[in-house]
């Protein structure tokens, strides 16, 4: 952003000058969280040297707001988040509200930077699939923004309205289905933000009397390369594996590709269930069994909540559905 022909100093500029992360700058300037005296001094010195004006982040924000909705998602190319975005845009359009979209890559530092940018742009409301902790969102709440979390809640911010799916029931139904086919060595492929699904996976196994094998719970970063490496490594190191539950469509895609590369046949060698019913799931051979989530409805409901600006905490939980296709078979 430029002011009088010159670019305004941003929170990222301060972070680079102080040689710290954006989240650290946010904590120091907002007066929350922990930072050493030396770090605090470096940040404040950099902010002063660059003529950074924190007032743009808060004190006068209520008078300067221009409206609009900020939408923060991990990855716009992910089909699930694309559909969630469609839902937000549909609701926002009907209300005559513009939407600014930012992608975090599930990187808390990037999320902090985008929060700062939205504040500087005087955006009035924010919908986010969060990746940072509750402290990261402090500046937004102190500035009086209306915030709604989608897909994932944030620990320490349980009072913030959110729209989520019933992960616990979805995971339990999938695990029970696989166990009914005789599977006991079931793996879970997860990524950032899926702690609740991992917890539900452990609970579902325990309820069925199946021991939890921690080696079969694998976490990938939010990239296709990382997801593929996690799936391939799982197949190679655990040849006794008989079934996989993938925590999202990117992970499911990786599980399918790695199985083909390693000559694992689905479902003869490996049974597979994936979160998210995306178009390509039906085009696979065999078609994939999925836990369907109403992504577009999630986005629409999140936009409805943020536009209401209600002060009362409210969490909307949407149902999941197990759609059985051809990617699961009896344990051999």
């Amino acid at each position: 952003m430029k002011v009088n022909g010159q670019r305004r100093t941003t929170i990222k500029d301060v972070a680079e000058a102080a040689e710290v992360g954006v989240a650290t700058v946010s904590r120091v300037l907002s007066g929350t969280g922990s930072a050493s005296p030396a770090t605090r001094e470096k940040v404040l010195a950099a902010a002063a040297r660059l003529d950074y004006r924190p007032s743009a982040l808060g004190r006068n924000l209520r008078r300067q707001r221009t409206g609009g909705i900020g939408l923060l998602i991990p990855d716009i190319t992910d089909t699930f988040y694309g559909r969630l975005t469609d839902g937000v845009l549909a609701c926002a359009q009907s209300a005559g509200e513009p939407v600014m979209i930012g992608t975090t890559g599930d990187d808390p530092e990037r999320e902090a930077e985008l929060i700062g940018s939205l504040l500087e742009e005087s955006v009035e409301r924010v919908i986010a699939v969060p990746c940072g902790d509750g402290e990261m969102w402090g500046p937004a709440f102190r500035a009086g923004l209306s915030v709604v979390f989608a897909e994932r809640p944030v620990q320490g911010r349980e009072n913030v309205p959110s729209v989520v799916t019933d992960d616990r029931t979805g995971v339990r139904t999938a695990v029970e289905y696989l166990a009914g086919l005789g599977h006991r060595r079931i793996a879970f492929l997860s990524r950032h933000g899926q702690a609740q699904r991992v917890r539900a996976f452990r609970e579902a196994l325990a309820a069925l009397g199946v021991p939890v094998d921690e080696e079969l719970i694998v976490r990938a970063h939010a990239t296709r390369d990382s997801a593929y490496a996690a799936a391939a490594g799982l197949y190679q190191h655990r040849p006794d594996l008989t079934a996989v539950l993938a925590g999202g469509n990117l992970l499911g895609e990786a599980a399918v590709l790695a199985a083909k590369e390693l000559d694992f046949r689905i479902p003869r060698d490996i049974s597979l269930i994936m979160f998210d019913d995306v178009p390509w799931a039906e085009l696979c051979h065999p078609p994939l069994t999925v836990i369907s989530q109403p992504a577009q409805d999630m986005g629409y409901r999140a936009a409805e909540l943020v536009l209401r600006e209600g002060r009362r905490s409210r969490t909307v939980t949407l149902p999941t559905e197990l759609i059985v296709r051809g990617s699961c078979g009896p344990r051999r």
Side-chain angles (χ1 to χ4, degrees):
M1 177 181 293
K2 294 185 178 181
V3 180
N4 296 328
Q6 296 184 347
R7 188 175 73 86
R8 176 185 293 172
T9 301
T10 68
I11 194 171
K12 185 177 181 181
D13 296 327
V14 177
E16 291 176 352
E19 298 181 334
V20 298
V22 172
T24 300
V25 175
S26 177
R27 287 195 295 270
V28 170
L29 296 182
S30 63
T32 63
S34 58
S36 69
T39 298
R40 179 178 172 79
E41 184 176 345
K42 279 175 37 177
V43 170
L44 293 177
R49 187 168 64 252
L50 296 174
D51 195 26
Y52 180 66
R53 302 182 184 276
S55 60
L57 295 182
R59 193 165 57 242
N60 299 321
L61 190 60
R62 290 183 183 275
R63 295 193 297 273
Q64 298 175 353
R65 286 183 185 172
T66 58
I69 299 173
L71 173 61
L72 303 184
I73 56 174
D75 181 2
I76 195 67
T77 67
D78 185 307
T79 304
F80 176 82
Y81 296 120
R83 289 164 53 213
L84 186 151
T85 299
D86 279 343
V88 171
L89 293 174
C91 184
Q93 184 178 20
S94 67
E97 289 283 347
V99 178
M100 295 175 58
I101 302 172
T103 56
T104 66
D106 267 336
D107 179 356
E109 291 285 332
R110 174 63 178 160
E111 181 176 76
E113 179 185 336
L114 288 170
I115 293 169
S117 296
L118 291 174
L119 288 168
E120 290 174 345
E121 294 292 340
S122 298
V123 169
E124 194 169 59
R125 306 173 181 90
V126 179
I127 298 168
V129 178
C131 57
D133 56 22
E135 190 176 284
M136 191 85 70
W137 285 89
F141 293 117
R142 283 187 296 278
L145 268 68
S146 295
V147 178
V148 170
F149 294 135
E151 191 196 20
R152 321 165 181 166
V154 171
Q155 188 173 3
R157 295 288 179 180
E158 289 79 8
N159 61 322
V160 178
S162 60
V163 182
V164 298
T165 52
D166 188 356
D167 285 345
R168 188 175 183 183
T169 298
V171 170
R172 186 185 69 241
T173 302
V175 171
E176 288 176 349
Y177 176 66
L178 290 170
L181 293 171
H183 295 283
R184 292 297 182 270
R185 289 184 294 278
I186 306 169
F188 190 93
L189 278 174
S190 70
R191 59 182 284 186
H192 184 91
Q194 295 185 343
Q196 185 168 313
R197 291 179 186 175
V198 173
R199 184 164 53 249
F201 178 71
R202 290 192 176 100
E203 291 173 354
L205 290 176
L208 293 168
V210 178
V212 178
D213 186 338
E214 293 298 330
E215 283 189 356
L216 296 182
I217 300 175
V218 178
R219 177 175 169 177
H221 297 294
T223 66
R224 282 179 165 78
D225 287 345
S226 177
Y228 180 86
L234 183 64
Y235 293 151
Q236 290 172 320
H237 292 113
R238 292 300 300 262
D240 59 330
L241 178 69
T242 66
V244 174
L245 176 56
N249 68 81
L250 184 146
L251 295 162
E253 175 187 297
V256 171
L257 291 175
K260 289 183 177 180
E261 289 285 336
L262 297 171
D263 293 324
F264 282 78
R265 295 162 296 178
I266 299 173
R268 184 177 179 85
D269 300 320
I270 294 286
S271 289
L272 176 62
I273 297 179
M274 175 181 77
F275 260 90
D276 304 338
D277 188 16
V278 294
W280 60 261
E282 287 189 278
L283 302 178
C284 284
H285 182 70
L288 298 188
T289 294
V290 299
I291 303 168
S292 177
Q293 304 181 92
Q296 191 165 11
D297 192 25
M298 178 182 291
Y300 197 97
R301 298 289 290 276
E304 283 185 327
L305 282 184
V306 83
L307 287 168
R308 288 176 188 164
E309 295 189 89
R311 294 301 176 188
R312 187 178 63 175
S313 174
R314 180 186 177 193
T315 295
V316 176
T317 302
L318 303 176
T320 57
E321 179 186 4
L322 181 68
I323 300 177
V324 176
R325 297 186 180 124
S327 61
C328 297
R331 178 176 67 90
R332 293 181 181 271

